[in-house]
């Protein structure tokens, strides 16, 4: 198998392992889990900055950085709580809705018009998640 094809598979495997073991079964506080995950990415970021250099800072950088930190922190806390309070397969499957949300945000932010196939995919994705949540009684 090509090395580059293995990277997404390894990433998905370790992400699922981290969500199941560290989040679902851990009694650690949710803020510690969120901050630990973010701090572990700092060495990789430092290597990237060393290789690519620091990009030029735009005037709106501080506003965007602050908004991103606040929104990502809230999203991570909600993700941790969702994994702790529900079935792992159901909570994890909702992450597949990210491309559907990005269709609309990319239209708002950069004016990218979604294609017909993308609009067709949204109801298929939604129906699949709805069927996943059926419980046999």
């Amino acid at each position: 198998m090509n090395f580059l094809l293995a990277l997404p598979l390894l990433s998905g495997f370790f992400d699922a392992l981290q969500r199941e073991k560290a989040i679902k079964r851990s009694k650690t506080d949710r803020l510690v889990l969120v901050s630990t995950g973010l701090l572990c990415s700092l060495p990789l970021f430092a290597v990237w900055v060393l290789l690519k250099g620091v990009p030029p800072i735009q005037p709106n950088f501080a506003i965007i950085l602050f908004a991103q930190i606040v929104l990502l922190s809230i999203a991570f806390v909600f993700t941790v709580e969702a994994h702790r309070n529900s079935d792992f397969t159901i909570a994890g499957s909702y992450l597949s809705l990210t491309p559907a949300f990005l269709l609309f945000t990319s239209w708002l932010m950069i004016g990218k018009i979604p294609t017909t196939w993308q609009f067709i995919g949204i109801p298929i994705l939604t129906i699949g998640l709805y069927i996943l949540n059926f419980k046999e009684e």
Side-chain angles (χ1 to χ4, degrees):
M1 180 184 291
N2 189 352
F3 176 70
L4 295 177
L5 293 176
L7 291 178
L9 295 174
L10 286 171
S11 173
F13 173 76
F14 285 114
D15 183 54
L17 186 69
Q18 181 256 346
R19 288 176 193 275
E20 176 62 20
K21 301 294 182 199
I23 294 175
K24 185 78 172 174
R25 297 184 183 179
S26 174
K27 301 295 182 207
T28 308
D29 184 60
R30 62 180 176 247
L31 295 176
V32 172
L33 288 173
V34 169
S35 61
T36 303
L38 293 174
L39 289 174
C40 288
S41 64
L42 281 178
L44 297 174
F45 180 69
V47 169
W48 180 77
V49 168
L50 287 174
L51 293 175
K52 296 287 185 176
V54 178
I57 306 269
Q58 302 294 326
N60 294 341
F61 177 76
I63 297 168
I64 293 170
L65 180 66
F66 177 74
Q68 183 175 5
I69 289 171
V70 170
L71 292 175
L72 280 177
S73 298
I74 292 169
F76 285 149
V77 168
F78 283 152
T79 301
V80 168
E81 287 304 309
H83 282 301
R84 281 190 174 171
N85 296 324
S86 65
D87 186 26
F88 175 70
T89 56
I90 292 173
S93 64
Y94 280 103
L95 293 174
S96 65
L97 285 173
T98 302
F101 294 132
L102 289 178
L103 286 179
F104 298 109
T105 56
S106 65
W107 173 66
L108 290 172
M109 291 180 180
I110 60 174
K112 184 178 184 295
I113 306 296
T115 65
T116 305
W117 286 109
Q118 290 170 330
F119 277 119
I120 291 171
I122 292 172
I124 293 171
L125 184 64
T126 307
I127 291 168
L129 286 172
Y130 182 73
I131 290 171
L132 183 66
N133 284 311
F134 277 137
K135 294 184 180 177
E136 293 187 27
E137 297 179 20

